[in-house]
Amino acid sequence: MADQWVSFLMRTGPNKEKQNIIWNMIGSFCYALASMVLSFLVLRIAGKEQGGIFAFGYSTFGHQMFLLAYFAIRPFHITDGKGEYQFGDYLHHRYRTCLLALFVGAGYLLISGYSLQKAGIIFLLVCYKIIDGFADVYDSEFQRNGNLHLTGKSNTFRTLLSVSVFLVILAATQNLLAACAAIVAAQAVGVFFFDQIVMKRLPGIDYGWSKDHMISLSLGTVLLFFSAFLDFYIFSAAKYAIDSCMDDVASGYFNVIFMPTSVINLAAGFVIRPILTRLTADWNKGRFRRFTRLLFGISGLIAGLSIVAVFMTWLIGKPVLGVMETILGASYKGSLTIYYPSFVLIVLGGGFYAFLNLYYYVLVIFRRQKVIFGIELALTFAAAWLAPWLVERRGIPGAAWAYVILMSLMAVGFVTGAWFGYRQGKAGRMDVQEEDEKK
């Protein structure tokens, strides 16, 4: 049975590239949809306060600890086409970062002042996210070896398993703490069946590692980690401000109107992930014209999708929020539609975030980690002041304004940094003859 299951996961059919794209889309869709569905259904099943706690633990602090476990190595890992490090190096590095994330998450909760129940729920969600961060090392290796379809399948089946178990337990017990314990167990089982077993069947995977590689890998990616960690803090500064300045109910409401950002990032991810290896190859081989054509094409597509998303939100956003209120129940009537202008602003900010994500990867390809870190550090200080200031004065609308301002500033910074990086990188490689010009 196990052999048949692994064979199914590894099967691609005659067109592997097509399968890579399709399964990446399915996996990304399931992963993004899970966050929206879970946050919404917990509000419906467990109530406003429990829903707010879950939203903060799952999509904010839990994800912050995911980033510590993940250490922002994926862009470096999947663009390591020359095999500078073996899979074993990445795997053993991930053991260490996951353990670090667990200690940091527990330490924060001990001094947070949260109630025992809230701290327990958030800690379990931190564990769930850390296991997700561990799974990423397998998913990254799948992609580096041209098996993006395995990454998509892992995301799909792990997500379906964990979400189904969570919802069944929550509906049966009405106990959010028990449901969170169940989702952690389901995630661990999913990693074993959909990642670890499959990886052992792939040829040419080197599990060897060395202490020297651990050190050099950490040094080579530490700025990417700090940048990603700060990036998510900037992205979530409005949520942190609501958690500290308002109540759990407000956190739940804000998370609901924040949901469309996941859809925009999902759509952008469909476009960005499959072309990262092509962008990397074009840059490394000096095919500058092909690189810029592909980059501009993807940029235009993301910008177009974002404009459409903002227009549709402006057009039908209020009725959509009204439908959500109806589904949540009579006690939620009027609680979301009041935030319709904030809803539109958040979608606009999500468009900026999707756009800057592309240029983040471009800067990684250029190996401009210091540029990324500098931009993120400056905006972290801005976010730490701006988000609480706006939330204290305007509540949830202030949080929406903080989000769109910060995302637009970060987008401008990344695009500018990428433009200078391209000019400097190309000027330093004038000896490279573009293949386009040989034709």
Side-chain angles (χ1 to χ4, degrees):
M1 180 65 72
D3 288 340
Q4 293 176 341
W5 174 248
V6 174
S7 297
F8 163 73
L9 291 175
M10 298 180 69
R11 189 179 302 126
T12 60
N15 192 332
K16 186 175 181 179
E17 187 64 29
K18 182 178 179 180
Q19 289 293 306
N20 282 339
I21 294 172
I22 291 173
W23 276 107
N24 176 64
M25 292 175 65
I26 295 173
S28 299
F29 177 78
C30 287
Y31 192 83
L33 186 64
S35 178
M36 295 185 289
V37 169
L38 285 176
S39 296
F40 191 78
L41 289 181
V42 172
L43 274 174
R44 180 70 177 87
I45 297 171
K48 299 177 182 180
E49 184 175 341
Q50 295 283 287
I53 293 171
F54 178 85
F56 179 75
Y58 185 90
S59 64
T60 307
F61 184 69
H63 195 76
Q64 194 87 55
M65 292 303 99
F66 161 84
L67 289 173
L68 180 51
Y70 161 76
F71 212 74
I73 283 183
R74 182 169 190 154
F76 189 95
H77 189 161
I78 65 177
T79 58
D80 182 14
K82 297 177 182 179
E84 183 179 358
Y85 298 96
Q86 304 303 324
F87 173 65
D89 295 320
Y90 291 107
L91 179 63
H92 283 266
H93 188 275
R94 196 62 61 96
Y95 289 147
R96 290 157 174 77
T97 57
C98 287
L99 189 60
L100 176 62
L102 187 64
F103 282 122
V104 171
Y108 174 82
L109 292 173
L110 284 174
I111 63 173
S112 64
Y114 294 152
S115 67
L116 186 61
Q117 184 201 40
K118 181 175 180 178
I121 290 170
I122 294 177
F123 178 73
L124 287 171
L125 292 172
V126 165
C127 292
Y128 172 80
K129 287 291 188 175
I130 289 174
I131 297 172
D132 194 24
F134 177 70
D136 176 80
V137 73
Y138 292 93
D139 295 341
S140 299
E141 184 68 10
F142 291 149
Q143 185 172 359
R144 181 170 69 150
N145 285 277
N147 292 298
L148 185 59
H149 67 98
L150 293 178
T151 299
K153 289 175 181 177
S154 172
N155 282 332
T156 300
F157 296 123
R158 278 193 297 110
T159 301
L160 290 176
L161 174 64
S162 57
V163 169
S164 298
V165 169
F166 174 84
L167 291 177
V168 168
I169 298 300
L170 182 62
T173 67
Q174 301 291 307
N175 188 317
L176 183 57
L177 191 65
C180 289
I183 200 174
V184 172
Q187 178 80 306
V189 170
V191 172
F192 177 74
F193 280 104
F194 307 128
D195 289 300
Q196 293 178 323
I197 290 179
V198 176
M199 183 65 74
K200 291 181 179 179
R201 302 295 180 89
L202 292 179
I205 303 299
D206 191 340
Y207 283 83
W209 66 283
S210 71
K211 185 177 180 181
D212 289 342
H213 279 181
M214 292 295 96
I215 295 173
S216 61
L217 184 56
S218 295
L219 293 176
T221 58
V222 67
L223 284 182
L224 286 177
F225 158 66
F226 279 121
S227 298
F229 196 79
L230 296 179
D231 171 270
F232 187 73
Y233 170 75
I234 298 164
F235 176 80
S236 303
K239 293 183 179 182
Y240 279 112
I242 288 176
D243 182 66
S244 62
C245 301
M246 301 180 72
D247 56 19
D248 292 326
V249 175
S251 289
Y253 289 161
F254 188 74
N255 199 67
V256 170
I257 66 173
F258 205 79
M259 286 180 183
T261 60
S262 297
V263 178
I264 296 172
N265 291 331
L266 172 66
F270 289 162
V271 179
I272 295 171
R273 283 188 180 180
I275 57 90
L276 285 178
T277 50
R278 288 172 56 192
L279 281 172
T280 302
D282 287 342
W283 179 254
N284 289 339
K285 295 179 180 179
R287 298 193 293 250
F288 301 120
R289 288 184 180 178
R290 287 178 55 173
F291 179 88
T292 53
R293 280 202 300 266
L294 182 57
L295 179 58
F296 290 160
I298 301 304
S299 299
L301 186 56
I302 292 174
L305 289 170
S306 299
I307 291 170
V308 170
V310 172
F311 175 75
M312 293 302 296
T313 306
W314 173 78
L315 191 66
I316 63 172
K318 186 171 287 188
V320 168
L321 291 174
V323 171
M324 289 183 179
E325 291 174 352
T326 301
I327 295 173
L328 286 172
S331 64
Y332 289 88
K333 185 174 179 58
S335 60
L336 298 178
T337 50
I338 190 175
Y339 299 121
Y340 162 68
S342 300
F343 192 45
V344 178
L345 279 176
I346 286 170
V347 172
L348 176 60
F352 282 121
Y353 187 73
F355 198 74
L356 70 87
N357 243 339
L358 171 63
Y359 284 86
Y360 167 83
Y361 282 111
V362 170
L363 286 168
V364 172
I365 292 171
F366 293 166
R367 296 300 190 245
R368 302 281 175 166
Q369 291 95 320
K370 291 182 180 179
V371 173
I372 297 172
F373 179 70
I375 294 169
E376 301 287 7
L377 184 61
L379 283 171
T380 296
F381 286 111
W385 168 79
L386 180 67
W389 185 79
L390 285 172
V391 169
E392 286 175 357
R393 283 156 180 77
R394 300 194 59 192
I396 287 179
W401 272 110
Y403 176 68
V404 74
I405 290 170
L406 292 168
M407 293 306 99
S408 61
L409 289 175
M410 189 153 44
V412 170
F414 278 9
V415 172
T416 303
W419 183 77
F420 279 108
Y422 175 82
R423 285 173 59 88
Q424 292 172 1
K426 183 178 179 182
R429 302 170 63 198
M430 293 303 293
D431 57 316
V432 179
Q433 179 72 28
E434 292 192 47
E435 292 186 11
D436 294 334
E437 295 177 353
K438 291 181 180 180
K439 297 179 181 180

